[in-house]
Structures are given as C-alpha cells and as structure tokens.
Amino acid sequence: MKIDVNQKTMILGIETSCDETAAAVVENGTVIRSNAVASQIDIHRRFGGVVPEVASRHHVDQITVICEEAMKKSGVSWDDLDAIAVTQGPGLIGALLVGVNGAKALAYAHGLPLVPVHHITGHIYANRFVQELQFPLIALVVSGGHTELVHMKEHGSYQVIGTTRDDAAGEAFDKVARTLGLPYPGGPEIDRLAKGGTPTIDFPRAWLGEGSLDFSFSGLKSAVINYIHNEQQRGHELNHANIAASFQESVSEVLVKKTMIAAERVHAKQILVAGGVSANSKVRSEMEKAARTRGIPLIIPPLFLCTDNAAMIAASGTIGFLKGMRADLSLNGKANLFIEDF
Amino acid sequence: MNVLAIDSSNLVMGVAVATEQKVLGELTTNSRKNHSERLMPAIAQLLEAVALKPADIDRIAVAEGPGSYTGLRIGATIAKMMAWTLKKELVGVSSLEVVAQNGRYFDGYIAPFFDARRGQVFAGLYENNNGNVVQSVPDRLLQIEDWIVELSKLGKPVLFLSNDLEKWEDLLQTQSYAVLGESTQNVPRAAELARIGARKEPVLDIHHFLPAYLRLAEAEAKWLAKQER
Ligand SMILES: [Zn+2]
C-alpha cells in the first residue's frame, strides 16, 4: 500500500508493555516533541527481575503523570493531535491493560482516533528518528523478549524471516548475569564487565544449519552456566571478565552473521538494529564492522531510544495512522501478537 | 452535578450517570469479565443514551476496591485519565460500601464481602443509620472463619451480601445470626456508587490515586518477610 509519509501529523504515543510507563508526542513521524518515561528498574531490582503485578501497579500510579509531562513538554494541545497510538502487545498483559485503557479513555474524551501498535514495530521505527528508512531493509530486533529478523519492503509492512526457537538473546544475557551474581538488569552489567576481559573461552554458536536465519540461545546459556559450575567445582578462580567477553562474543557473532546473510538475501538498502540488546557495545561495533565491509548502511538508534519508550510507539503509530489502522473502544491488550498482522 | 460512576472491581461491571436528585441511566452485567474490552464501550454507550458528552460530566466516581487487581486497574485507569484530561473531579468509593447500600433498611449489621481465595474474603461491616449506610468496621482481608467468629459476638442479625455467596452458603447458613441476601441485593449498583460519590470529598491528587488492593503483591510480601528475618 502506498502512503504519503510526508503528510503532517501529530501523534501522542503511549507505552506500558513491561516496566517503563512512557508517553511521547511525535510530529510527522520523525520529530520528537516530547518523550516522557518513568522507569521501574530501581523498583524491580530487589526482586531480580520484572514482577508483573508490581509493574502493573506502578503503571496505574504513573500513567497520568507521564501523559501530562509528555503533553506539557510537547507544547501542543489536545486539539493539535491527529491520533493516539498505544502499544497493544506483545508484553505483560496486566501492564499492557493500563496503557490500552488509558489511551482509550483519552481517545474517547477528546474524540481522537486510536491506533494500535505492535511493540516490535515501535523498536524498528525508533530508527526513523535517526534517518529516513530505505526499502527493502532488514531489521534485527533483539531484546529480553525478542530475537527476530524482519524484512520490510515498504513502510508498515513486516515479514519475519528469522526468529528464536527458544530464548531471546536478552534472556540469555539476564540468566548469565544472574549466574555471575550481577545485579538486574544484567545486559549492561555484562557489557561493562566484558570490556575488561578477553574472549578466551570457546562457547558454542548455534547456526541451525546452512543458511538458516533462526536463532537459538538456550544451548549457549547452558554452556556458560555449566562452565561456571564446573570451574567452581574444580576450585578454579573464575575470571568473570573473560566469561562475559566470551559469552558476548558468541552472541554477537551469531547475531551479526545471520543479519548479514538476511541483508544480502533480500538486497537490503539498510540494516536496522533495534531493541534493548542493540545498546550492547559489542553488538554495535561488530555490526558496524560487518555492514561497512559489505557497503550496506547501518542504523542503530541512540541509547535512549533502544530501551522501551513511547516516541518509537508514536513513530510506528504515525505509519499505522497513515495506513488507516484504527481501533475502536473495545481494543484490548494482548500478551501475544503477530507482527505481520500490523 | 453530573456524576459518572464506574465499577469494574469484580465480576459485575456497572456504569451509571446520575445527578444528586436523579438517576439518568445505568448499565450492569453480571456474567462475563473481559472488562478491558467492554468497559469503555459501555461508558460511551451510556453517555450517548442519556445525551451527554464527556465534557458534560462534572465528577467521576470509581469503585476503588477491594476486588480483582486487574479489574480495579481498568476502572481506576479510565477514571483517572478521564478526570485528569477533562479537568473533572475524581472520587474513590469502597466497592464493599457500594454493595452495602443494598441492605439499607436491614435492621442489624450489613456484611458485604468478596471471595479472595485461599479461604479469605475481602469484608467490611456497615449499618443502617436513619436510612444512611455507615461503616462500622473498615474493609479488610481476613479468613472467613475468623470473620464469622467476630460477627457472632455482635449480638445482632447480620445481613451477608455477596455475589460470591454461593461458595460460602453452607457455612453461613449454620450461623444463627446470619441472613443471606437475595440475588438482586448481592449485585452492586453503579447508580448507588454515583449517589455516594456525589456526596464524598473528591481526591486532591488525581495523579496518584490508586486502587485499594488491600493485599500486597505476592513478590512484595515475600520480599518484606525476608527483610524481617
Ligand atoms: Zn521493548
């Protein structure tokens, strides 16, 4: 479907799929007028991970505060908005419901159209704040919940050509971090630790057969955990930095190679990386190297747009709005949602 | 003053619009949950039916709990959002107090409760004071056996009102002081919520209005217990 992406728009986005309560106003799909986020990282740290019921309760506490902040900082009024975009899923259902019902109340109160957004398309569209998208493109979405290769032929069209068969890459980061006794969230901790180490341990890479674009990280995760336990049993002193560096090397090698295979297969004009794990410095640098060698432009969002935020939801919602996607007041949050339906 | 009342705290989903003198409209279901899908359309449908626009509402009264956590969050989120964005007043009313209104002329105590699983109930105690239902014991979470012992000492008849009455019927019927509510008395009426809501002081801080869960999240309770050890 051909849409005019240069149309003037002003969209309020709302995101509550996990542990960030977020709202943002985005102009023309590319300009961030405001981007308010209340992170719950400090609240969940003592539990060692996100507790859904606790997250949901905090969303109720923050939802109007964050929407007010986003509206105030944007300098626009409700009359200036064209639509409200909200994350419908995937995510924690109790958390999603707060954003979805809040967005419906706002849409009804102001007579505004409501646009449902798939969270992962939000991560992909975070890249549009960096540079206009060129198609066809390959987007690697890597986070605590996702590891997917998405082929886009045009705006708002998503085809999953590779996905994880077990754990998401971010999940592996969290579990390895926990085994190493690092605090939550584990990803940034491993990244920091790895900088002081060398990849001396040969952890497995799961290629899943010639040309496969699927991923598997459970084997790697177990290998790292087994290695740690074996070394401890033998009374060896663990070199945490080397373990982190070796683990990270294994993850990034698989992510980079498969992304490059996908990009070459579809003759991609751009490679995008999105999601929490795209904040990882090793993944970023290896991806840059590989893309440069092949002469394919690479876009990775700045760090503040890698983690969950609502600017990305408004950006993707802008495309949904232009495509004519609308939800009525019966819109419900969904823990599982298929990206190709968006 | 036009009051919009919203109750999605338990299986019953209720919406009403009323002034201080008159009930303009009321919608109630007592068979399905999926409040997340149905509550907002019900609000829109009722307001349209009584020919009011969102901006015509002066105050929103929400059943604040106790009840199902998810249900409470749906009602509280919609109520907060509408009150904040339309610059209207917000009032929270105990979900048990709403049920207690159905025993207004009962001569004795009114004991509304909601099943809270694991043998527990969310319960409160109310009584009739010249046609006004006033609270005698604050809402709380406790074992139903403990509640029955406490009520037996009051020396007055007690009217049990609950949509979950069936589950505890056998136990309650053995209590000499107990009177069990009829089907229509066990269902909270959103119009009663609107009536109580019209009289209460609105909340000062809409932003941080929260449901009355009356129970910590399990992870929170476990974490606290660990700190005390
Ligand atoms: Zn995310």
Side-chain angles (χ1 to χ4, degrees):
Chain A
M1 185 212 266
K2 277 277 163 262
I3 51 168
D4 176 13
V5 293
N6 297 316
Q7 214 172 301
K8 297 252 166 289
T9 51
M10 193 70 80
I11 309 276
L12 170 68
I14 295 176
E15 151 68 35
T16 63
S17 68
C18 190
D19 61 342
E20 328 271 351
T21 318
V25 175
V26 168
E27 188 173 4
N28 306 336
T30 53
V31 179
I32 300 174
R33 295 288 296 242
S34 65
N35 188 23
V37 185
S39 170
Q40 302 177 8
I41 285 186
D42 294 337
I43 290 155
H44 295 283
R45 187 169 287 126
R46 63 197 158 113
F47 305 121
V50 177
V51 178
E53 176 61 23
V54 174
S56 305
R57 290 186 180 196
H58 280 280
H59 284 308
V60 179
D61 187 46
Q62 291 298 316
I63 189 78
T64 58
V65 179
I66 287 300
C67 286
E68 181 168 274
E69 189 184 325
M71 286 303 287
K72 271 194 181 151
K73 285 192 175 155
S74 73
V76 306
S77 72
W78 294 102
D79 291 340
D80 299 325
L81 292 178
D82 293 301
I84 293 173
V86 65
T87 305
Q88 187 191 1
L92 303 171
I93 186 63
L96 288 164
L97 289 183
V98 176
V100 166
N101 280 283
K104 292 199 292 183
L106 288 177
Y108 172 66
H110 299 291
L112 286 166
L114 186 66
V115 180
V117 175
H118 188 286
H119 182 80
I120 296 304
T121 70
H123 278 300
I124 293 173
Y125 269 89
N127 289 286
R128 201 174 169 223
F129 294 119
V130 181
Q131 210 179 306
E132 184 55 274
L133 308 185
Q134 303 286 328
F135 305 98
L137 63 76
I138 285 293
L140 169 70
V141 182
V142 261
S143 69
H146 295 269
T147 309
E148 273 158 30
L149 279 165
V150 181
H151 175 204
M152 288 179 72
K153 290 180 185 154
E154 58 183 345
H155 275 294
S157 136
Y158 312 94
Q159 190 196 352
V160 178
I161 57 171
T163 186
T164 179
R165 295 189 184 166
D166 39 61
D167 296 352
E171 243 176 303
F173 268 95
D174 281 338
K175 296 227 175 90
V176 168
R178 204 173 304 164
T179 315
L180 287 174
L182 300 171
Y184 168 87
E189 295 289 333
I190 291 206
D191 198 357
R192 198 170 306 134
L193 200 54
K195 280 182 182 141
T198 30
T200 50
I201 311 149
D202 189 23
F203 289 130
R205 279 100 170 121
W207 299 112
L208 306 173
E210 184 78 31
S212 167
L213 295 175
D214 281 346
F215 299 94
S216 167
F217 292 104
S218 74
L220 168 63
K221 178 191 71 189
S222 310
V224 177
I225 293 170
N226 287 342
Y227 172 85
I228 293 169
H229 289 164
N230 287 342
E231 290 295 293
Q232 281 169 335
Q233 262 172 4
R234 289 188 195 129
H236 294 171
E237 178 109 22
L238 287 175
N239 186 327
H240 286 211
N242 286 355
I243 294 170
S246 307
F247 163 74
Q248 210 170 256
E249 171 112 337
S250 173
V251 174
S252 72
E253 191 181 322
V254 173
L255 290 176
V256 170
K257 267 209 182 133
K258 299 215 174 216
T259 305
M260 294 307 143
I261 295 172
E264 286 176 340
R265 196 174 289 173
V266 306
H267 306 289
K269 290 198 181 123
Q270 279 178 344
I271 295 169
L272 317 185
V273 185
V277 178
S278 59
N280 182 273
S281 63
K282 182 76 180 167
V283 172
R284 286 174 99 96
S285 64
E286 291 300 316
M287 202 65 87
E288 269 159 21
K289 251 189 261 168
R292 203 181 313 124
T293 313
R294 287 164 182 79
I296 309 171
L298 171 77
I299 318 180
I300 304 181
L303 294 181
F304 79 99
L305 289 174
C306 287
T307 47
D308 289 351
N309 63 85
M312 68 184 201
I313 300 304
S316 172
T318 303
I319 299 298
F321 174 72
L322 295 174
K323 272 169 69 184
M325 284 194 77
R326 299 290 182 273
D328 63 22
L329 293 178
S330 68
L331 179 72
N332 204 356
K334 292 233 167 75
N336 298 302
L337 260 190
F338 196 41
I339 194 172
E340 294 186 3
D341 295 339
F342 278 75
Chain B
M1 180 167 67
N2 291 321
V3 180
L4 168 66
I6 299 170
D7 185 356
S8 58
S9 49
N10 290 281
L11 179 66
V12 173
M13 188 186 88
V15 183
V17 183
T19 66
E20 289 94 326
Q21 295 82 28
K22 193 175 177 185
V23 177
L24 300 177
E26 189 175 17
L27 274 175
T28 307
T29 63
N30 184 27
S31 60
R32 298 170 63 201
K33 258 200 175 163
N34 64 343
H35 297 344
S36 174
E37 253 175 76
R38 297 189 300 117
L39 182 53
M40 224 27 252
I43 292 169
Q45 187 196 337
L46 179 63
L47 284 180
E48 162 139 45
V50 301
L52 289 178
K53 286 189 279 299
D56 298 330
I57 298 297
D58 300 295
R59 176 179 282 198
I60 296 169
V62 64
E64 66 183 12
S68 123
Y69 302 159
T70 302
L72 293 179
R73 278 194 280 274
I74 292 164
T77 300
I78 290 174
K80 279 177 76 162
M81 272 295 203
M82 287 185 70
W84 162 68
T85 199
L86 294 166
K87 301 189 172 67
K88 307 297 184 187
E89 293 172 337
L90 176 67
V91 183
V93 176
S94 153
S95 305
L96 290 164
E97 187 178 351
V98 180
V99 180
Q101 306 306 310
N102 297 343
R104 185 172 295 124
Y105 300 110
F106 181 72
D107 189 13
Y109 286 100
I110 310 157
F113 72 87
F114 305 130
D115 183 55
R117 295 192 302 268
R118 297 176 228 156
Q120 293 181 303
V121 287
F122 291 117
L125 195 65
Y126 296 79
E127 61 189 310
N128 172 5
N129 183 352
N130 298 321
N132 284 320
V133 175
V134 295
Q135 190 169 52
S136 323
V137 172
D139 298 346
R140 67 203 150 121
L141 174 72
L142 76 176
Q143 293 291 324
I144 191 154
E145 272 85 7
D146 295 341
W147 189 220
I148 285 170
V149 170
E150 207 174 312
L151 294 174
S152 69
K153 293 175 186 153
L154 295 172
K156 269 197 202 174
V158 175
L159 174 63
F160 286 95
L161 297 180
S162 178
N163 211 18
D164 308 313
L165 215 47
E166 224 175 32
K167 181 169 175 182
W168 302 106
E169 208 172 358
D170 294 344
L171 174 70
L172 293 175
Q173 264 164 351
T174 60
Q175 313 298 313
S176 58
Y177 61 86
V179 180
L180 305 194
E182 298 292 339
S183 64
T184 48
Q185 287 180 295
N186 291 321
V187 172
R189 287 194 57 189
E192 293 284 5
L193 169 59
R195 194 183 63 86
I196 313 165
R199 299 182 193 177
K200 285 209 167 165
E201 279 299 308
V203 301
L204 294 174
D205 183 6
I206 291 174
H207 281 323
H208 297 295
F209 173 80
L210 288 175
Y213 297 105
L214 299 193
R215 179 150 66 187
L216 288 173
E218 209 178 312
E220 196 96 46
K222 278 188 184 154
W223 184 84
L224 280 176
K226 220 163 102 188
Q227 305 312 303
E228 275 159 25
R229 256 188 269 134

